[in-house]
Amino acid sequence: MPKDTSIKSVLIIGSGPIIIGQACEFDYSGSQAARSLREEGIEVVLINSNPATIMTDPIVADKVYLLPLNTESIEQILKENKIDAVLPTMGGQTALNLCKEADEIGLWEQYNVKLIGVDIKAIDKAEDREKFRLWMIEMGIPVCPAHIANSFLEGKEFAQQIGFPLVLRPSFTLGGTGGGIVFKKEDLDEALNRALTASPMHEVLVEKAVLGWKEYELELLRDNNNNVAIICTVENFDPMGVHTGDSITVAPAMTLSDTAFQLMRNTAISMMRNLGNFAGGCNVQFAMNPETEEIIVVEINPRVSRSSALASKATGYPIAKIAAKLAIGYNLDELKNQITKTTSAFFEPALDYVIVKIPRWNFDKFKGANDTLGFQMKSVGEVMAIGRSFPEAIQKACQSLENDAIGLGYYGKSLMKSEEILESIKTPKWDRIFRIKDALMAGATVSTIHKSTMIDKWFLYQIQSIVDLEKHLMKFDKLSEISKEEMTKAKQMGFSDLQIAKFVGNKCTEDEVYEYRKSLGITRIFKIVDTCAAEFESKTNYFYSTFG
Amino acid sequence: MTPAILLLQDGTIFNGYAAGKIGTTTGEICFNTGMTGYQEVFTDPSYYKQIVVMTNIFIGNYGVKKSETESNKMQIAGLVCKNWMPNYSRSMADGNVQEYFENEQMVGIQGVDTRAIVRHIRNAGVMNCIISSEISDVEELKKRLAAEPSMAGRELSSEVSTKESYFFGEEKSAIKVAVLDLGVKKNILRCMADRGMYLKVFPAKTKLDEMMKFNPDGYFISNGPGDPASMPYAIATVKDILATNKPLFGICLGHQLLSEACGISTYKMHNGHRGLNHPVINLQTGKCEITSQNHGFAVKEEEAKQNANVEVTHLNLNDNTIEGIKVKNKKAFSVQYHPESSPGPHDSRYLFDDFLEMIKLN
């Protein structure tokens, strides 16, 4: 179906203040959507209570309302403007909640505003945990055993039935606020109270904890013609138990066979087709039992999200921009791939590199805060690195964290004994990735670390390869002893010149390493993020640097 | 690590390291952009005599598993990849890629800039190449490479096809299908058997009268390697099948042969379609599919569109190449892509249902 020409003006709802769990990703998606709609000659009216955003710059929308995100503001806007449609899928949970509230008091109907991108039924089905669970059961899709509780007593009763460890997930909250894992009966009361209070409807899901299962996310697009494409598959380095926003994540999925991946793909597609009226970007999270490869669905978000912003940058596919076009009626096959400009927008990006995202925490600014990671997101930002191998990407990401890390390692150098390190990595904390490296440096095996952390062995083998090369480089007294082959390998594995300078007996400087490798002809090259692994020529310049 | 060389027909050289067995191999270089399913690719008979560049950044990360193969052995002529990963993590795997390659006597090269190679092929087109981890003398490699025949005009199906006919599926099934094996992928057989079809799989050069003894309700023409134009025997068989008016379904090479049988010629593509993300539109329903593809030849677009006996049913959304046809007034249809996928999306599995329906209604 081509563009719906009855839509001449659209209201986009922003996501409000930047808080932990909801940062600038919605500014990114909102701005993209606004541009995408204006490209189509549609007037864009925007509401956001946060002036410190790009989307509220006068050039992004035709009219910007800096008002509190509540129904009074919405009514004011609808009174002052002729709005044909509202697009609530760009402003995260906040926008969806506000859209639902406005619907409940009949605002959209009263002002004859069409809801585009998603309908209320779909929002409910996806966001209300109990409705979601029942929907999954109806579709025959496995979910975690769980019960919804609306009171403290109910919660306690279900907790007894399900057993520990268990997870508490409050309904309709941001970034998992108020939720968490409860390992012991003694901790239940406090956690349950917190979770119930966090939910605007005093509702919490008591769920069995599938700790140690591997976690994956699929980013999808669906159009009105039921066409679905998977834009990106993201694998979490940290197994289930750590909020995705606090997990180190990797794209594309690194440890999935085609059989396992297609099962997830099929499941996600059938969910999206069954969701109801929906056209746009969506995210589905899965957990997989590493032994049997059985999967369960964790959740679905019928909107663009933190991960779709990441997926857009990871693949080059502008999810929010295309999602906005789908919302106004276009089908995927009617649009062009925005990177190649010649091929179809209906396709699934192929990556010939690896993306690593590492969250950035600021626990040093929150003295006394509990720095253990769990179901409630605690990071305040993230870095994303692109490399031609996992070691390269993870080292680049570490170098970008804006702390003192100059790579994976040599940061907050651990003074712990190896037994202490092994004990400490059992608990996910902000510095776990560095401590894992320390443990491997100290001689712990991949199997030992896997047992303590349940992190997939493949990732640990990769870190082991960084450790092996680092130990090898440490043997050299002089820079000139390092062969071209060894230096190339070091650079391909993401070692910075400064890092190498530190290993070689502290007898050289970063500049010397740079000059030396340059004399060997080892220099940075630039590759394009083109959505198609070089199959087609790219018309958009989006580069990353690498060493081959 | 043992150094290895990849030499292309146009003289371009890429240096890397050995993957798999130490040795030398020649074939036509092509690239696959799929991000999962390397083992299924290695064992797909359509890749016979081809050296495959895998653009995915890691090969071997989830090991190998016996059940995830498309034939009984590795079929590619060699492998080119960036990061070769003998260390894997999958609990359900049976072994690692290095041992697998050594056991199957397969030669590969790793640690090369696969993206640079793909860009080279994208511009220059597919060509023959040689990989060696035992010969470093480029002149010697050039000599050996020159001996490798071009893929154009090459008949390879009879080399990969079964030598003896065999049965597949449940004998008691009400529906019987004769499969002409030109290099058939196992999952095609599974997809049909799962839908209650009992199959007899015949060698490539089997004639219609031999297949008719099985008294089939329908015929299937499989995928396979090589140039369809060099297979007059198979084109003749397809013509004979069409004359019976029985349902016929063809995939990939089978699609090209059905086209040839209808008088539409085929051509060798610049660099082919190989991957798991090719968009196709079904012109009959208006719905789109993400498809798994592996072909270096295609049917001529203009001839297909102008042919009075043929209706174009599927088109590629990227380059408008013909992805599917049906023969008017016959129960015969075919697709260029791989609905059985494996590896790849399952979006197009409905075509097997269509085939079943066609047989039932016949």
Side-chain angles (χ1 to χ4, degrees), chain A residues 225 227 254 257-259 262 265-266 293 343-344 346 348 352 388 456 462 485 527 530 534 536 548, chain B residues 17 36 57-58 61 68 82-83 85 89-90 113-115 122 277 279 286-288 318 343-344 346-347:
Chain A
N225 195 22
N227 296 318
M254 287 286 132
S257 68
D258 187 63
T259 333
Q262 296 306 335
R265 189 182 180 279
N266 289 344
E293 295 185 5
T343 54
S344 175
F346 178 68
E348 302 190 344
D352 58 359
R388 291 275 286 163
D456 190 278
Q462 295 292 311
E485 201 181 356
K527 301 259 183 215
D530 64 358
F536 308 104
Chain B
Y17 301 95
T36 51
I57 202 71
F58 290 105
N61 26 347
E68 290 172 5
K82 175 79 176 91
N83 300 300
M85 288 288 128
S89 63
R90 190 183 187 193
D113 187 346
T114 46
R115 188 173 168 89
R122 182 182 83 194
N277 64 349
K287 300 267 181 207
C288 302
N318 281 343
H346 297 184
D347 296 11

Side-chain angles (χ1 to χ4, degrees), chain B residues 94-281:
Chain B
D94 304 318
N96 74 54
V97 277
Q98 178 61 27
E99 282 167 15
Y100 178 55
F101 267 52
E102 281 171 17
N103 291 339
E104 300 252 352
Q105 306 282 303
M106 187 57 64
V107 174
I109 184 169
Q110 54 143 328
V112 286
D113 187 346
T114 46
R115 188 173 168 89
I117 299 171
V118 170
R119 288 179 62 125
H120 187 81
I121 308 170
R122 182 182 83 194
N123 296 326
V126 287
M127 60 183 87
N128 284 341
C129 74
I130 185 164
I131 299 174
S132 185
S133 44
E134 57 184 4
I135 305 166
S136 54
D137 176 4
V138 174
E139 288 313 310
E140 170 64 21
L141 291 173
K142 280 185 177 162
K143 226 162 71 192
R144 293 202 186 197
L145 179 55
E148 177 74 12
S150 162
M151 187 59 83
R154 214 166 172 190
E155 193 280 321
L156 296 170
S157 278
S158 54
E159 292 180 37
V160 293
S161 172
T162 179
K163 300 290 169 255
E164 303 286 332
S165 60
Y166 62 92
F167 296 95
F168 194 97
E170 196 55 57
E171 200 180 337
K172 278 170 258 155
S173 307
I175 291 167
K176 293 198 287 185
V177 171
V179 176
L180 189 63
D181 174 11
L182 307 170
V184 71
K185 283 171 72 184
K186 260 193 214 166
N187 208 47
I188 293 182
L189 303 181
R190 286 184 213 114
C191 281
M192 290 196 281
D194 287 350
R195 284 165 178 78
M197 301 180 214
Y198 181 53
L199 314 172
K200 187 170 184 184
V201 185
F202 293 94
K205 293 194 168 162
T206 311
K207 294 220 158 47
L208 176 65
D209 50 2
E210 180 61 30
M211 288 195 274
M212 279 175 80
K213 288 180 193 160
F214 177 54
N215 197 20
D217 303 295
Y219 292 86
F220 178 81
I221 315 297
S222 86
N223 64 297
D227 185 345
S230 68
M231 302 173 70
Y233 67 88
I235 298 169
T237 310
V238 173
K239 280 183 182 164
D240 290 344
I241 295 172
L242 283 176
T244 66
N245 275 328
K246 290 268 187 195
L248 179 153
F249 179 25
I251 289 179
C252 203
L253 180 62
H255 161 75
Q256 295 158 2
L257 294 169
L258 178 63
S259 304
E260 289 269 5
C262 295
I264 305 163
S265 41
T266 52
Y267 67 97
K268 188 157 171 41
M269 301 169 84
H270 183 66
N271 58 5
H273 292 162
R274 292 174 190 88
L276 313 179
N277 64 349
H278 291 267
V280 165
I281 183 161

